Amino acid sequence: MAITTRAAAPGSAASGPDAGAPAPSGASGPPGRSTAWAEGVERLRAAATTEPGRLRIIGAALAALVVLFGAVAVWEVSGRVTAADDVVGRSQPLSADAASIYRSLADADTASSSGFLAGAQEPRDVRLRYEKDIANASRLLVSAAANTGAGGDSRKEIALLGEQLPRYTGLIEQARATNRQGLPLGGAYLRYANEQMSTVLLPAAQRLYEAETGRLYTDYDEARAWPLASTGAGVLALAALVWAQRRNYLRTHRVFNHGLLAATAAAAIVLLWLTVGQTFARSGLSEARTGGQESLKVLNDARIASLQARANENLTLIARGAVLAADKKSDKYDVDYEKNMKQLDEGLARALRLADDTSGREPVSQAVAGVAQWKQRHAAARESDMKGDYELALPQVIGDERHPDSSGASFDTVDASLERAVAHEQNQFTRAARGGLGALGGLVTGSAALAAVGAAAALLGIGRRLSEYR
């Protein structure tokens, strides 16, 4: 008998074992892969269900916190050490050099007018003083240009000073040569040179000093800033270590875990060292600023005021009323002299208040006495000049063998006293600033080493607990 096979009609159900099974809903395909992050989280979650797994997690977290504490401490302390080192070795010396540039220029102007008053035969010591001032200002300008960053305000002022200083010295040489010939035009050259000094050179030097002092104060602030991030990281690391030891005690009733105890000691030492070191550094830098730099600034301003007063006193005799003040009645240089002396009095009074020891107060007191004497002698010379007795007024100002008690001698006393006061305050600053820098010595290396020891100790302590489960 023949067997015939009938094909399934279209649309009819297929035969076979799965013929009656319902079709799966949705798209078919292989199951989606889980990401590495998801797998890691899943493994971590699984590990956290057992005590050995939890201990491994705790050990890794403790080591990471201790290392983080050490890294942040190294980063912050390195910044403060760099700033403190800049205060001692870079920004304060640049500020002092800028002040010296100002003083040298003002003193050169004073010496040039003193030499002019002496007549055709300029005294050799006055000439040497002028040349020394110009050479010192030129040398310091070269040094400042080499140590000042490009593009800043200081660079512009240095360029201006370098451009204008030769013009000033050229005018002085013209005034000196004309004066030797006995021509009255020499006084005009000298007055023009003084105008260049007072309106161009000294303002530029003042701006340079202010810019360098501003950078010094910025370095102060950076060096004194408290390391908040490392302090917070240290407290967090210590809290985690204490918690881990308490947890260990509650579960095992063992008081000490030597590894965790060593890690805690290392972190505590770093935090204590950081706190004490920064405290002493702040104290030293604060003393350097208030007891040194602030006094230096006041004394430098006072010395500059005295130099300008002396130059104006000389020019009063040179101009002989040729240049009037704003009121069109008074002598301009005499008015400027009175203004400078007022600034000098105020500066010396403030310097006395800031002086914190006998060595600092003594030269300032001598300067105060010298100023009082200077005023008396200037008044006598001015009275002689106003009476038309120029021949008497001249030696009363510049001095000679018959008039040793001149206003110039009083000025020399004031200038020498202020120079000693500046030297004393500079030493005070250097000592205090170096003490502040020294307080941070070794902290960077010590923090890194102790953090590494603490992390290793934490891992060893947890490892000791894990060995109990083997």
Side-chain angles (χ1 to χ4, degrees), residues 253-273:
H253 297 289
R254 295 173 184 170
V255 178
F256 297 119
N257 178 291
H258 295 119
L260 293 180
L261 190 62
T264 304
I269 291 172
V270 173
L271 185 59
L272 181 62
W273 192 358

Side-chain angles (χ1 to χ4, degrees), residues 77-394:
V77 173
S78 296
R80 280 142 186 81
V81 169
T82 300
D85 188 59
D86 284 344
V87 167
V88 175
R90 186 169 180 269
S91 53
Q92 201 283 328
L94 283 175
S95 176
D97 286 350
S100 294
I101 291 172
Y102 197 123
R103 286 197 307 270
S104 295
L105 293 175
D107 192 60
D109 198 48
T110 300
S112 64
S113 61
S114 298
F116 190 92
L117 278 176
Q121 298 300 322
E122 183 179 13
R124 179 172 175 78
D125 59 336
V126 175
R127 175 65 177 175
L128 290 177
R129 180 171 181 171
Y130 167 82
E131 292 177 348
K132 180 181 178 181
D133 287 331
I134 295 299
N136 188 55
S138 301
R139 177 183 60 82
L140 291 175
L141 281 173
V142 172
S143 177
N147 292 286
T148 302
D153 294 336
S154 296
R155 178 70 64 176
K156 298 177 183 177
E157 305 305 336
I158 291 170
L160 177 60
L161 288 166
E163 177 185 351
Q164 294 297 326
L165 185 56
R167 297 181 181 180
Y168 169 80
T169 56
L171 289 170
I172 292 298
E173 293 308 317
Q174 287 180 313
R176 181 177 288 115
T178 307
N179 191 41
R180 286 178 178 175
Q181 299 174 18
L183 300 176
L185 189 59
Y189 275 122
L190 187 67
R191 291 195 300 272
Y192 185 58
N194 174 263
E195 182 181 354
Q196 288 291 101
M197 177 64 75
S198 60
T199 61
V200 178
L201 288 169
L202 290 182
Q206 177 68 26
R207 291 192 296 269
L208 174 62
Y209 174 65
E210 291 174 352
E212 295 301 331
T213 303
R215 182 163 64 174
L216 169 61
Y217 287 157
T218 298
D219 289 337
Y220 267 127
D221 294 338
E222 291 180 0
R224 293 182 68 255
W226 192 265
L228 294 176
S230 52
T231 302
V235 171
L236 180 62
L238 281 175
L241 287 165
V242 170
W243 171 83
Q245 291 178 85
R246 182 175 183 276
R247 179 182 184 277
N248 183 62
Y249 171 74
L250 293 176
R251 290 176 177 270
T252 64
H253 297 289
R254 295 173 184 170
V255 178
F256 297 119
N257 178 291
H258 295 119
L260 293 180
L261 190 62
T264 304
I269 291 172
V270 173
L271 185 59
L272 181 62
W273 192 358
L274 177 67
T275 302
V276 173
Q278 187 64 31
T279 299
F280 278 99
R282 285 168 62 91
S283 176
L285 291 170
S286 295
E287 181 183 352
R289 179 168 181 170
T290 58
Q293 181 60 30
E294 292 297 332
S295 294
L296 280 172
K297 186 176 186 305
V298 172
L299 289 169
N300 283 327
D301 291 343
R303 194 176 183 192
I304 289 166
S306 71
L307 291 167
Q308 291 177 328
R310 178 58 180 170
N312 285 317
E313 183 180 36
N314 292 337
L315 287 166
T316 302
L317 282 180
I318 294 172
R320 305 294 301 278
V323 183
L324 298 179
D327 60 3
K328 303 301 180 181
K329 297 179 182 179
S330 306
D331 185 284
K332 174 185 181 299
Y333 298 112
D334 191 46
V335 171
D336 288 343
Y337 164 84
E338 296 294 341
K339 178 182 177 181
N340 296 142
M341 294 302 283
K342 182 179 179 180
Q343 293 171 343
L344 178 57
D345 287 335
E346 293 173 352
L348 291 177
R350 188 178 177 193
L352 273 177
R353 292 194 298 269
L354 290 174
D356 54 2
D357 59 6
T358 303
S359 299
R361 284 189 292 269
E362 182 179 354
V364 178
S365 298
Q366 292 174 354
V368 171
V371 168
Q373 185 185 70
W374 183 4
K375 289 178 179 179
Q376 293 175 356
R377 294 176 178 178
H378 171 80
R382 187 65 181 150
E383 183 180 357
S384 299
D385 187 37
M386 293 298 290
K387 290 178 179 179
D389 193 350
Y390 178 81
E391 297 301 324
L392 176 60
L394 181 60

